[in-house]
């Protein structure tokens, strides 16, 4: 096909987008070329609100030396390293990354979890205060809509690990007032709320008695319950307790990673869907590809030994070149297609209404798939989904409608709970 003909076809398709869903839905995206689909995906990403359930920018800022007095990491401009900044978000069509207020499990033992959460919340709000033309805080779907119309990237917040709650239910209202709109109940270890998928002690056998009250209070206040990171028993307990749909903010399908409890099993996904919830797919290589997961451990061990033998750090140019070549040769990164496989598997089981994006950008290191290395690359995944027969309406549901539905249901329940 001549280039001029391709351009005409794409123009007509884009005209269909602007004329409403009726005209665009008549298009057979599977019949287009890869180039045409990518152009459509880019346009769709730019014109559709896109929510990502989990981006670890706040902790990346902390590790990078960000303070409230001095901005070390200027994400209003393109940054070196990391997966998120404003220019790349605009390129990829990302409008509302949930900022992860991540609390490492060690703070449960050493103390300071609540203070760390407060500092990360302040850092996030500082972004909106420092660059109000580019970023805006968001505490509801309506806030995200308003920011989208103003051309701003929304910064909703979710707290990863319920440890800052301590043993005091009143802290839930405190963090809701601070802007937290979901809480991932656990992280790497069991806590006072319940058992973690990464721990082996299973001290509660699921939710603790206190954890049951936490879930009820989150329902009452209008905080979404996030079951990423919890053990299977904790998940099923949450399903029994919660009166509203829940989310998995950054999990994938265990079908592709047998034995990896951090991902969700098929029965769990079906139960989540019965509850009306949403699983937001994690892009990390170890979450989407069992071969990569198994090979990654061996590669990491080799690289650590090689760096020690050569007295180099990962930041040395020589080391970076070696690591890149060694990984490519010994454990190639997964592809965008591998991520799309998770969407297909879940779609076949429970339908499109229970899927979303939960990349875990800035939280999974250098394991991201080829073609999904940062927030500029969502259109690559959207194009792959279009290639597999997903419709424009399907993409809109994945981008924001499914999550908005859950969020609004949680808000409505809280409003009626008084």
């Amino acid at each position: 096909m001549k280039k001029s003909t391709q351009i005409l076809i794409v123009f007509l398709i884009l005209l269909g987008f602007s004329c409403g869903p009726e005209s665009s839905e008549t298009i057979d995206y599977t019949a287009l070329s890869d180039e045409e689909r990518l152009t459509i995906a880019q346009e769709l990403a730019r014109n559709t609100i896109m929510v990502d359930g989990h981006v670890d920018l706040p902790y990346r800022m902390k590790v990078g030396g960000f303070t409230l007095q001095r901005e070390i990491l200027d994400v209003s401009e393109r940054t070196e390293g990391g997966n998120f900044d404003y220019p790349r978000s605009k390129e990829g069509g990302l409008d509302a990354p949930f900022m992860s207020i991540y609390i490492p499990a060690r703070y449960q033992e050493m103390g300071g979890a609540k203070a760390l959460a407060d500092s990360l919340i302040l850092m996030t709000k500082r972004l909106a205060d420092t660059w109000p033309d580019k970023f805006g805080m968001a505490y509801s779907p309506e806030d995200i809509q308003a920011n989208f119309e103003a051309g701003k990237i929304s910064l909703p917040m979710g707290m990863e690990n319920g440890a800052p709650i301590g043993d005091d239910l009143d802290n839930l209202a405190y963090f809701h007032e601070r802007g937290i709109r979901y809480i991932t109940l656990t992280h790497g270890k069991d806590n006072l709320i319940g058992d973690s998928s990464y721990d082996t002690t299973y001290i509660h056998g699921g939710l603790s008695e206190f954890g049951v009250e936490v879930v009820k209070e989150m329902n009452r206040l209008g905080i979404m319950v996030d079951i990423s990171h919890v053990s299977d028993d904790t998940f099923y307990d949450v399903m029994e307790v919660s009166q509203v749909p829940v989310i998995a903010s950054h999990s994938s399908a265990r079908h592709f990673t047998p034995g990896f409890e951090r991902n969700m099993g098929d029965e769990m996904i079906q139960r989540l869907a019965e509850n009306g919830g949403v699983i937001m797919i994690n892009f990390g290589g170890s979450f989407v590809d069992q071969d990569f997961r198994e090979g990654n451990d061996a590669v990491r061990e080799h690289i650590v030994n090689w760096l020690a033998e050569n007295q180099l750090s990962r930041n040395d140019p020589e080391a970076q070149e070696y690591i890149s070549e060694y990984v490519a040769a010994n454990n190639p990164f997964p592809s965008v297609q591998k991520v799309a496989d998770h969407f297909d598997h879940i779609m076949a089981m429970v339908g499109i209404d229970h899927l979303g994006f939960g990349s875990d950008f800035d939280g999974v290191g250098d394991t991201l798939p080829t073609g999904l290395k940062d927030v500029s690359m969502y259109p690559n995944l959207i194009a792959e989904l279009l290639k597999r027969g997903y419709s424009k309406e399907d993409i809109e549901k994945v981008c924001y409608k499914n999550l908005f539905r859950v969020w609004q249901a949680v808000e409505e329940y809280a409003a009626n709970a008084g």
Side-chain angles (χ1 to χ4, degrees), residues 58-273:
Y59 201 76
R60 174 184 160 206
M61 291 192 295
K62 173 181 168 56
V63 172
F66 182 101
T67 68
L68 297 180
Q69 292 74 38
R70 182 177 176 220
E71 293 78 27
I72 302 299
L73 184 62
D74 181 359
V75 292
S76 73
E77 303 294 340
R78 196 174 300 271
T79 62
E80 289 292 332
N83 309 129
F84 173 90
D85 53 47
Y86 179 85
R88 287 184 286 176
S89 291
K90 282 296 186 180
E91 290 169 13
L94 177 61
D95 302 294
F98 264 88
M99 295 285 99
S100 172
I101 306 304
Y102 164 51
I103 312 299
R106 65 180 181 274
Y107 284 85
Q108 297 165 198
E109 301 167 354
M110 60 186 275
K114 186 176 180 181
L116 176 58
D118 281 335
S119 70
L120 296 178
I121 290 169
L122 286 172
M123 287 182 193
T124 302
K125 291 182 175 180
R126 187 65 177 271
L127 294 177
D129 291 341
T130 303
W131 299 291
D133 58 324
K134 295 182 177 180
F135 299 108
M137 299 306 298
Y139 308 113
S140 67
E142 291 75 20
D143 288 344
I144 292 175
Q145 178 72 48
N147 285 334
F148 176 75
E149 291 171 1
K152 298 181 184 181
I153 292 175
S154 291
L155 301 176
M157 294 183 292
M159 190 160 71
E160 186 178 23
N161 191 351
I165 298 164
D167 59 1
D168 187 353
L169 286 177
D170 288 343
N171 280 326
L172 288 166
Y174 171 82
F175 282 114
H176 183 263
E177 180 66 24
R178 305 288 322 272
I180 295 298
R181 290 299 179 265
Y182 77 67
I183 296 176
T184 317
L185 299 180
T186 69
H187 193 254
K189 291 184 178 295
D190 302 346
N191 61 19
L192 296 180
I193 298 170
D195 295 339
S196 163
S197 64
Y198 280 140
D199 210 340
T200 57
T201 55
Y202 301 109
I203 59 177
H204 305 295
L207 277 178
S208 67
E209 291 183 9
F210 177 69
V212 170
E213 297 306 312
V214 166
V215 172
K216 291 179 178 178
E217 183 68 358
M218 289 173 68
N219 286 177
R220 189 186 72 82
L221 290 168
I223 303 172
M224 288 181 283
V225 177
D226 177 20
I227 53 79
S228 289
H229 281 287
V230 305
S231 71
D232 289 9
D233 287 339
T234 302
F235 166 80
Y236 284 111
D237 284 350
V238 169
M239 292 296 98
E240 292 299 318
V241 174
S242 181
Q243 300 300 303
V244 292
V246 307
I247 64 170
S249 69
H250 58 306
S251 297
S252 299
R254 196 182 301 171
H255 172 82
F256 298 97
T257 57
F260 184 36
E261 192 174 353
R262 175 63 181 80
N263 275 344
M264 296 186 70
D266 286 358
E267 291 183 2
M268 299 169 72
I269 294 169
Q270 290 167 344
R271 184 69 179 86
L272 183 80

Side-chain angles (χ1 to χ4, degrees), residues 37-38 41-42 45 50 91-93 372 375-384:
R37 263 190 304 270
L38 181 57
Q42 290 167 337
M50 188 188 299
E91 290 169 13
L372 278 176
V375 293
S376 71
M377 299 185 183
Y378 293 97
N380 292 336
L381 178 54
I382 293 173
E384 179 63 25

Side-chain angles (χ1 to χ4, degrees), residues 235-401:
F235 166 80
Y236 284 111
D237 284 350
V238 169
M239 292 296 98
E240 292 299 318
V241 174
S242 181
Q243 300 300 303
V244 292
V246 307
I247 64 170
S249 69
H250 58 306
S251 297
S252 299
R254 196 182 301 171
H255 172 82
F256 298 97
T257 57
F260 184 36
E261 192 174 353
R262 175 63 181 80
N263 275 344
M264 296 186 70
D266 286 358
E267 291 183 2
M268 299 169 72
I269 294 169
Q270 290 167 344
R271 184 69 179 86
L272 183 80
E274 291 170 5
N275 165 266
V278 176
I279 174 173
M280 308 182 82
I281 301 301
N282 192 312
F283 298 170
S286 295
F287 287 79
V288 299
D289 186 348
Q290 182 72 5
D291 289 340
F292 179 83
R293 176 174 176 75
E294 293 174 355
N296 199 40
D297 292 339
V299 166
R300 285 186 175 184
E301 181 178 358
H302 171 83
I303 289 172
V304 167
N305 292 333
W306 183 88
L307 290 171
E309 292 169 2
N310 291 274
Q311 298 182 333
L312 294 171
S313 76
R314 284 180 173 271
N315 294 327
D316 292 321
E318 180 184 348
Q320 291 180 348
E321 181 179 358
Y322 178 83
I323 291 170
S324 177
E325 293 176 355
Y326 187 85
V327 169
N330 292 276
N331 194 33
F333 290 108
S335 63
V336 171
Q337 288 76 21
K338 287 284 187 181
V339 180
D341 288 345
H342 287 252
F343 284 85
D344 280 355
H345 179 73
I346 295 168
M347 172 85 155
M349 282 198 302
V350 299
I352 195 65
D353 293 334
H354 307 285
L355 279 159
F357 296 137
S359 65
D360 212 350
F361 279 138
D362 279 332
V364 287
D366 58 358
T367 71
L368 289 159
T370 301
L372 278 176
K373 294 296 187 183
D374 62 41
V375 293
S376 71
M377 299 185 183
Y378 293 97
N380 292 336
L381 178 54
I382 293 173
E384 179 63 25
L385 295 176
L386 293 174
K387 184 176 184 178
R388 296 180 182 211
Y390 290 67
S391 68
K392 176 176 178 283
E393 176 64 17
D394 291 338
I395 299 302
E396 289 173 344
K397 287 184 175 183
V398 170
C399 283
Y400 78 100
K401 287 184 177 179

